[in-house]
Amino acid sequence: MEIIMAFVCGFLFMAAIYLILSRSLLRIIIGTGLLSHGAHLLILTMGSFKGSAPPVLTDGVTDYVDPIPQALILTAIVISFGVTAFFLVLAYRAYQELKTDDMTLMKGSEDHE
């Protein structure tokens, strides 16, 4: 199962880098979202899939799943949601002002201030 998840993580990272390197601002935002999903999946995979008991400690339980990767992923999901929302608002405002989402046209020129 870890091999399949490693390939899925690699594919997500590959697609994210491809989208981040594009000229469209919306594709860059989607690429950052894919990159964060790939990181979440990587952290989950590193936490291993033991199939053990849930991380609820009661008397007599000796084999349980480590809850740290799950807590890290939950925190990372909240942070990536906030960053994506900020990027979307920033892109919307830039599109309202400049009437384009092409990064090369957003750069401007030396004589335009």
Side-chain angles (χ1 to χ4, degrees), residues 90-108:
L90 192 65
Y92 179 69
R93 184 71 179 135
Y95 184 77
Q96 278 183 335
E97 290 292 322
L98 302 172
K99 303 292 187 229
T100 184
D101 70 337
D102 192 359
M103 293 299 287
T104 57
L105 297 175
M106 286 184 179
K107 279 198 294 189

Side-chain angles (χ1 to χ4, degrees), residues 5-81:
M5 297 304 268
F7 281 118
V8 171
C9 289
F11 179 76
L12 283 174
F13 283 132
M14 177 194 65
I17 296 299
Y18 175 76
L19 289 173
I20 287 173
L21 293 176
S22 67
R23 292 183 180 172
S24 174
L25 193 58
L26 188 59
R27 285 184 177 198
I28 293 171
I29 294 170
I30 292 171
T32 57
L34 280 179
L35 189 68
S36 67
H37 287 313
H40 301 159
L41 205 56
L42 182 65
I43 293 171
L44 183 67
T45 304
M46 288 181 355
S48 76
F49 298 109
K50 293 179 185 173
S52 302
V56 177
L57 297 177
T58 58
D59 294 333
V61 175
T62 58
D63 189 26
Y64 57 90
V65 177
D66 186 19
I68 297 297
Q70 297 170 8
L72 286 174
I73 292 169
L74 185 61
T75 305
I77 288 171
V78 171
I79 291 171
S80 67
F81 176 74

